[in-house]
Amino acid sequence: MVLKTRVTELLGIEHPIICGGMTGVGTPELAAAISNAGALGVFAAHNAGTPENLKRWIDQVRRLAPGKPFGVNFTILPTAGEPPPYDEYAKVVIEAGVPIVETAGSNPKKWITLFKNAGVKTIHKCVTIRHALSAERLGVDVVSLDGFECAGHPGEDDIGNFVLQAKGAKVLRAPFVCSGGVGDGRQLAAALALGADGVNCGTRFCATQECAWPESFKQRMLEASETGFSFVVKVCFSCSFYPGGTPWLYGIFEN
């Protein structure tokens, strides 16, 4: 069954599914496999390291998934040291003709303007409706509404997707996707029923053959219960989900 939504039409994909950029996990192999399956494969620019290697990764996706849409993620967060070379990344993305960029982590005004002027479609990850409305005013093509269930960095407002997606359907004009806690067709159907135009999946793709995770990680994920996750750095006013707690993590919490 083919599901056509505003997102599939806009991004040129067969299924209303977008892969999260996933720091440390997103690779050309994983992005290409997802794009070949009819969804939108995405990898984070900073996973590639240097701008030169980013260009090699873009070329690799094109070789592995010829003619298929794909995207590059820009996650722009404060850093303790030298920040990644985002301006150089942007130049590589534009010159290479990457069709879609996903931004996250900070005000996207500079990046949405830059990429839209270059003909690149933009997705921005938002954790509240006010952020989504701001991105909409900036001209973003697709909003990714990230509920508290979202792994990685789901913001600090702790809004669940039952509330966030339903509210988005009432007030947003731009197409939007549900991000967080989506792992199968039932949850995709639920997201569409709430008014979303698709879903953004990250952790679900970590259990695939194409993911570079160690097999032991994948097996623990498959064996985990609904409580098999950990909050990381919540005490620092920022929250990241880690699927499957470890003794190392528990040691952090206890100390």
Side-chain angles (χ1 to χ4, degrees):
M1 178 180 178
V2 176
L3 298 172
K4 288 189 177 296
T5 72
R6 291 184 295 174
V7 162
T8 62
E9 296 294 322
L10 180 64
L11 303 182
I13 54 180
E14 298 172 50
H15 309 298
I17 300 170
I18 298 171
C19 174
M22 295 193 290
T23 295
V25 179
T27 62
E29 293 84 359
L30 182 59
I34 292 165
S35 289
N36 278 327
L40 183 70
V42 178
F43 66 81
H46 55 275
N47 284 352
T50 65
E52 294 77 17
N53 204 42
L54 174 59
K55 178 59 167 62
R56 286 191 284 269
W57 278 30
I58 292 169
D59 292 342
Q60 187 175 356
V61 173
R62 286 204 164 107
R63 286 195 303 271
L64 295 172
K68 297 290 186 178
F70 69 97
V72 173
N73 167 281
F74 275 49
T75 296
I76 303 160
L77 295 169
T79 59
E82 187 73 19
Y86 294 114
D87 289 306
E88 289 87 347
Y89 287 162
K91 181 179 179 183
V92 169
V93 163
I94 291 169
E95 290 180 351
V98 173
I100 301 157
V101 166
E102 178 189 66
T103 56
S106 66
N107 189 318
K109 180 177 181 179
K110 169 183 176 178
W111 307 105
I112 289 176
T113 301
L114 178 68
F115 290 124
K116 285 187 71 68
N117 287 342
V120 180
K121 293 184 174 68
T122 55
I123 303 167
H124 184 62
K125 299 177 78 67
C126 305
V127 299
T128 66
I129 296 300
R130 75 177 186 277
H131 293 150
L133 289 171
S134 177
E136 198 175 64
R137 288 191 293 271
L138 293 172
V140 73
D141 293 292
V142 178
V143 170
S144 177
L145 278 180
D146 293 21
F148 188 54
E149 302 91 333
C150 185
H153 188 288
E156 300 158 18
D157 293 279
D158 302 357
I159 305 170
N161 271 328
F162 252 86
V163 172
L164 194 61
Q165 306 305 318
K167 183 68 173 180
K170 290 183 178 181
V171 302
L172 296 179
R173 297 185 304 275
F176 69 95
V177 296
C178 170
S179 182
V182 179
D184 63 20
R186 290 184 181 90
Q187 290 158 325
L188 168 58
L192 297 177
L194 284 167
D197 295 277
V199 296
N200 185 307
C201 297
T203 307
R204 174 62 185 87
F205 290 125
C206 292
T208 61
Q209 292 180 354
E210 292 82 4
C211 177
W213 258 13
E215 290 301 316
S216 60
F217 281 34
K218 298 177 187 179
Q219 190 59 39
R220 288 191 64 182
M221 178 179 164
L222 293 174
E223 295 170 353
S225 71
E226 73 280 3
T227 61
F229 64 87
S230 299
F231 295 119
V232 183
V233 298
K234 181 69 172 174
V235 293
C236 301
F237 307 104
S238 173
C239 179
S240 294
F241 275 126
Y242 183 87
T246 67
W248 176 77
L249 285 173
Y250 297 143
I252 292 176
F253 301 147
E254 290 170 0
N255 296 322

